[in-house]
Amino acid sequence: MEHLYLQVADRIQAMIEKEVIRIGDKLPSVRSLSKEQGISMSTVFQAYYHLEGKGLIEPRPKSGYYVCFSPRRLPELPSATRPVKKATEVNVSEMITEVFSHHGPDLLRFSTASPSEQLLPSAKLAKSMIQAVRETNGGLSYEDLQGNLCLRRQIARMSIQWGGSITEHDVVTTTGCMDALTLCLSATTQPGDVIALESPAYSGTFQLAESLGLKVLEVPTDPICGVDLEYLDKAIPKFKIKACVFVTNFSNPIGSTMPDKNKRELVRLVNKYDIPLIEDDIYADLYFGKLRPSSCKQYDRNGNVLLCNSFSKSLAPGYRVGWTVPGKYKSRVLRLKLNHTISSATLPQAAIGHFLENGRYEHHMRNLRKMLHTQCLRYQQAIADYFPEDTCVTRPQGGYVLWLELNENINTIELYEQALRRKINFAPGRIFTLQDRYYNCMRISYSNPWSKTVDDGLKTLGKLAHQLLK
């Protein structure tokens, strides 16, 4: 059951979003709201602290709380992306490696779409790992080819949240989500085949396509609704597309989420042409609303949807525990897994299975989702305050990333080089495409908890962007 203070905070936030309460308006005093709502002053304080953490209100000494931000003040959305003329051979590894190879304790990283260690339940995970060591005799033996049974059962149980009806027999564990994508793409394509990706698309998928000798057709994408399905319907026969690889929920880097009707239509399309849809659903548990969004797999009746996911973005990146529900391609995926790795590591699977089985995951995820939503709003507010006025920013309803479209005169590769000299790292838009585009775009991750360091870093990026306009 949701805490009372969150219900109060949600009502006030809704009034701010609808501009019933506007920027600069004073909120009722803690005492008066307590009497009016019949709740304790402590509950009101918690609600106000929660809204303050999101950057929506601010306290003023000896005066009270005031509205300081509204989502309606956010910048405009980036434009939908344009179609391309042909499928393209992949060669982007050098640029991608350059962006993600920089590390160091003094580097402020806005480039990584993964959770900060501060947001992860390290102590509880350690307990689950100790239990896994006990139950598996130290994890010395090979795990079952299909994966740890307890873990697969828990994943099947979790599928209820997105409307799935899978069993442990449908699940194959992998070494992270990229391993799941690799196995699924290898099981469904041959070198030289054309696959469809969103545009812009996750840079790691380009690297994967390059390693498998595949060509890529980039499909136009809307920052809210995702892939242009009308274009895709015509493109599949025209370009002889053999597989689609899409992030249907909180896509990386643009943050779009397909509505349910679009997901149904996408499944209908892949069934119409009898081609596989490899659905990367790695961010879907990181939703900001009340309910987890559905997955295309929910609407799959023919086994053409290969669902891929992992716990790297939600629980333990270093454990490298992923999974896939590969539908009618399960036997091929298992054969490839046997050839490539024999089995997945025993201990990490057993530890996460234990963590899920003991009900710790959902409690952790509730906290993580609240933190990420708060961070997303704070980052959006800072970008609105510090970047040039014509900067467009996405409004994701989950996940880790914001996609920025800046003035056409700003080259984000040049901005990246200047930022790196100031120990700030982000992902330039050019690494998310094979085309000659997105030079004025960038991806910023809001995975770092809000702090003065983060605020100063975004302020510096904004100043550099202003300077490039001159």
Side-chain angles (χ1 to χ4, degrees), residues 184-185 187-189 193-197 217 219 229 232-246 265-279 300 302-306 326 328-329 332:
C184 290
L185 261 178
T188 56
T189 62
D193 283 348
V194 177
I195 64 171
L197 300 183
L217 179 77
V219 180
L229 297 180
L232 181 64
D233 191 7
K234 298 173 183 176
I236 291 173
K238 179 180 178 181
F239 295 98
K240 296 181 174 58
I241 293 170
K242 298 299 184 182
C244 298
V245 184
F246 297 140
E265 175 62 13
L266 177 55
V267 174
R268 188 193 71 79
L269 279 181
V270 297
N271 286 337
K272 171 183 174 182
Y273 294 105
D274 194 27
I275 63 171
L277 164 64
I278 299 169
E279 182 179 20
D300 179 32
N302 298 352
N304 280 324
V305 179
L306 298 85
K328 67 183 183 184
Y329 299 94
R332 294 189 201 176

Side-chain angles (χ1 to χ4, degrees), residues 137-204:
N137 191 29
L140 299 177
S141 300
Y142 283 124
E143 185 54 86
D144 181 84
L145 172 62
Q146 195 164 334
N148 179 273
L149 181 58
C150 173
L151 175 60
R152 287 188 285 120
R153 282 176 175 164
Q154 293 306 312
I155 290 169
R157 181 184 60 80
M158 288 168 56
S159 73
I160 297 171
Q161 296 178 15
W162 48 264
S165 56
I166 64 173
T167 72
E168 64 266 28
H169 305 296
D170 301 313
V171 180
V172 178
T173 66
T174 61
T175 307
C177 193
M178 281 306 297
D179 186 38
L181 293 171
T182 302
L183 290 171
C184 290
L185 261 178
S186 300
T188 56
T189 62
Q190 298 290 330
D193 283 348
V194 177
I195 64 171
L197 300 183
E198 297 122 330
S199 183
Y202 171 50
S203 54

Side-chain angles (χ1 to χ4, degrees), residues 382-389 391 404 406 442 444 458 461-462 465-466:
I383 291 166
D385 289 341
Y386 302 145
F387 279 64
E389 288 186 8
T391 301
L404 282 61
L406 286 76
M442 59 194 290
I444 287 182
L458 291 172
L461 286 178
H466 277 286

Side-chain angles (χ1 to χ4, degrees), residues 14-15 18-19 68 70 79 139 150 158 213 250 263 270 318 360 363 370 384 398 454:
M15 295 175 74
K18 294 175 182 177
E19 295 190 339
C68 64
S70 169
S79 54
C150 173
M158 288 168 56
F250 320 130
K263 289 170 180 168
V270 297
R360 293 170 178 164
H363 174 74
K370 288 175 196 172
V454 167

Side-chain angles (χ1 to χ4, degrees), residues 39-182:
I39 55 179
S40 69
M41 291 177 61
S42 173
T43 299
V44 179
F45 272 120
Q46 283 183 291
Y48 281 178
Y49 291 154
H50 182 71
L51 293 169
E52 184 185 351
K54 286 188 173 184
L56 296 175
I57 68 174
E58 63 181 4
R60 297 180 186 175
K62 300 181 180 180
S63 182
Y65 284 90
Y66 290 78
V67 177
C68 64
F69 180 71
S70 169
R72 288 181 177 246
R73 193 168 68 91
L74 292 175
E76 295 293 319
L77 285 166
S79 54
T81 57
R82 302 185 306 275
V84 298
K85 295 181 179 179
K86 62 179 182 178
T88 311
E89 293 186 358
V90 185
N91 186 11
V92 292
S93 292
E94 186 175 340
M95 188 182 302
I96 295 170
T97 301
E98 157 62 24
V99 171
F100 294 107
S101 63
H102 295 281
H103 296 276
D106 58 344
L107 181 68
L108 178 56
R109 300 183 69 188
F110 292 127
S111 59
T112 307
S114 60
S116 164
E117 288 185 16
Q118 299 173 55
L119 305 179
L120 299 177
S122 56
K124 291 181 179 179
L125 273 171
K127 290 180 180 178
S128 290
M129 180 60 79
I130 291 170
Q131 187 65 29
V133 170
R134 290 172 180 162
E135 292 177 355
T136 64
N137 191 29
L140 299 177
S141 300
Y142 283 124
E143 185 54 86
D144 181 84
L145 172 62
Q146 195 164 334
N148 179 273
L149 181 58
C150 173
L151 175 60
R152 287 188 285 120
R153 282 176 175 164
Q154 293 306 312
I155 290 169
R157 181 184 60 80
M158 288 168 56
S159 73
I160 297 171
Q161 296 178 15
W162 48 264
S165 56
I166 64 173
T167 72
E168 64 266 28
H169 305 296
D170 301 313
V171 180
V172 178
T173 66
T174 61
T175 307
C177 193
M178 281 306 297
D179 186 38
L181 293 171
T182 302

Side-chain angles (χ1 to χ4, degrees), residues 59 80 163 177 262 299 304 334 338 376 387 395 402 417 448:
C177 193
N262 291 38
Y299 309 110
N304 280 324
L334 283 173
L338 177 63
C376 179
F387 279 64
R395 299 170 199 170
L402 296 170
E417 292 170 350
N448 288 312

Side-chain angles (χ1 to χ4, degrees), residues 317-357:
Y319 282 25
R320 310 305 301 134
V321 174
W323 51 272
T324 178
V325 182
K328 67 183 183 184
Y329 299 94
K330 176 185 167 185
S331 61
R332 294 189 201 176
V333 166
L334 283 173
R335 189 163 57 250
L336 286 165
K337 181 180 177 182
L338 177 63
N339 293 341
H340 290 173
T341 60
I342 301 177
S343 69
S344 302
T346 300
L347 282 177
Q349 290 186 82
I352 289 186
H354 181 269
F355 190 90
L356 298 175
E357 190 176 38

